[in-house]
Amino acid sequence: MLNAKLSDAVAAIRARTDMVPEIALTLGSGLGPLADHLDGTTIPYADIPHFPVSTVQGHDGVLMVGTLFGRACVAMRGRVHMYEGYSAQEVAFPMRVMAALGAQTAIFTNAAGGMGEGMQVGDLVAIEDHLSLAVASGHDPLRGPNDPGIGERFVSMNRAYDPELIDLVQSLSPDIARGVYGHLVGPSFEPPALIRLLKLAGVDLAGMSTVPEVIAARHMGVRVLALSAVTNIAVSSTADSHVTNEAEVWESIRIIEPKLLALMQALIPGLPAVEA
């Protein structure tokens, strides 16, 4: 039962800290150093019952609970992905734990390939909608028995990415655009034919995370803000000889880190409080 698993995980965390977080942060590939500024308790994922453990470089695999820029936060320093072999439900479980700890607002960051008009490596983009071929084909984290004590059976994904929070981000950094995120399982990078299909569907970004966690957050009534860091430009033609590789992505992340940190320093203190 999900409730029992959540209770086990929350109890293990509560044994180490009694702080009730307002904000949950899921920090994607290479973006974990933001958590260096969080003052609090660090718990390895392996020490939390039922918690999936990160297996990918750049995902440190620790949960941090404490104060970040003046706000009570819980932060995942690194996430897990379906391509590691986890189900959508397992990928979403950490978000459920953070919500059960008390978080009412969730901020997600990820690394993504850009395909929207004018996008460049180093851009930050606020996600305003998503398209998930995995979810559409049956890998929805809400699939299976529903616990009404956690959320409703059917959950709307319209405005899943909170427009007020997106407006707040753009007021702080007007150069941040909005975009549609295409969720793919990976770990292979997208072939040109798939990029062309996604472009036809109005997708601006392609990545391998975030959507299962967002669905779980909305299922539990948590407000969502998601930001993609454009680490490469997606190739849409086999005539283009460029081959996207992991080294390219990591180099781009190093450029983006200071920009993301500056945004969070301005954003987190001003996030509206949400009544539980």
Side-chain angles (χ1 to χ4, degrees):
M1 288 293 293
L2 185 58
N3 255 338
K5 290 182 177 181
L6 276 176
S7 296
D8 290 345
V10 169
I13 296 166
R14 286 279 174 252
R16 301 202 190 188
T17 176
D18 59 2
M19 175 172 277
V20 178
E22 302 174 75
I23 301 162
L25 297 105
T26 301
L27 304 175
S29 299
L31 301 171
L34 173 63
D36 290 339
H37 299 266
L38 190 151
D39 181 22
T41 302
T42 299
I43 308 170
Y45 295 166
D47 292 352
I48 304 172
H50 315 295
F51 216 87
V53 176
S54 305
T55 65
V56 181
Q57 178 187 354
H59 294 265
D60 294 343
V62 294
L63 190 75
M64 304 182 72
V65 185
T67 302
L68 178 66
F69 306 138
R71 303 292 289 272
C73 293
V74 55
M76 287 183 69
R77 186 162 179 157
R79 57 155 51 90
V80 297
H81 310 77
M82 291 176 67
Y83 67 71
E84 295 172 69
Y86 292 113
S87 68
Q89 290 83 357
E90 289 170 322
V91 167
F93 184 73
M95 181 62 244
R96 294 195 179 281
V97 172
M98 293 190 288
L101 288 170
Q104 295 292 311
T105 300
I107 301 175
F108 300 92
T109 68
N110 63 54
M115 65 184 82
E117 185 175 354
M119 283 187 181
Q120 298 180 6
V121 170
D123 286 350
L124 286 174
V125 181
I127 298 173
E128 62 177 353
D129 197 3
H130 69 240
L131 187 156
S132 173
L133 299 180
V135 171
S137 62
H139 295 280
D140 191 315
L142 305 188
R143 184 180 181 185
N146 184 65
D147 185 340
I150 294 174
E152 298 179 356
R153 169 75 280 188
F154 301 101
V155 181
S156 173
M157 285 294 106
N158 186 31
R159 297 163 71 94
Y161 302 86
D162 195 291
E164 181 183 352
L165 299 182
I166 296 173
D167 287 344
L168 178 57
V169 165
Q170 291 188 309
S171 73
L172 295 170
S173 187
D175 61 329
I176 292 180
R178 303 176 184 227
V180 177
Y181 181 82
H183 169 236
L184 306 160
V185 171
S188 57
F189 288 114
E190 306 78 25
L194 182 52
I195 295 300
R196 293 196 299 273
L197 176 64
L198 293 174
K199 282 185 172 183
L200 286 172
V203 171
D204 302 294
L205 303 149
M208 304 172 189
S209 68
T210 304
V211 169
E213 298 123 301
V214 167
I215 293 172
R218 294 304 303 136
H219 185 234
M220 297 181 75
V222 176
R223 300 180 79 181
V224 167
L225 172 69
L227 299 167
S228 283
V230 177
T231 55
N232 61 284
I233 300 302
V235 174
S236 61
S237 171
T238 55
D240 188 332
S241 62
H242 179 75
V243 176
T244 302
N245 59 64
E246 194 173 356
E248 174 188 0
V249 171
W250 288 117
E251 181 60 33
S252 300
I253 286 170
R254 283 191 283 272
I255 297 170
I256 293 165
E257 277 179 2
K259 186 184 300 187
L260 179 65
L261 176 60
L263 175 63
M264 291 300 174
Q265 285 177 313
L267 173 68
I268 288 175
L271 282 174
V274 179
E275 292 186 10

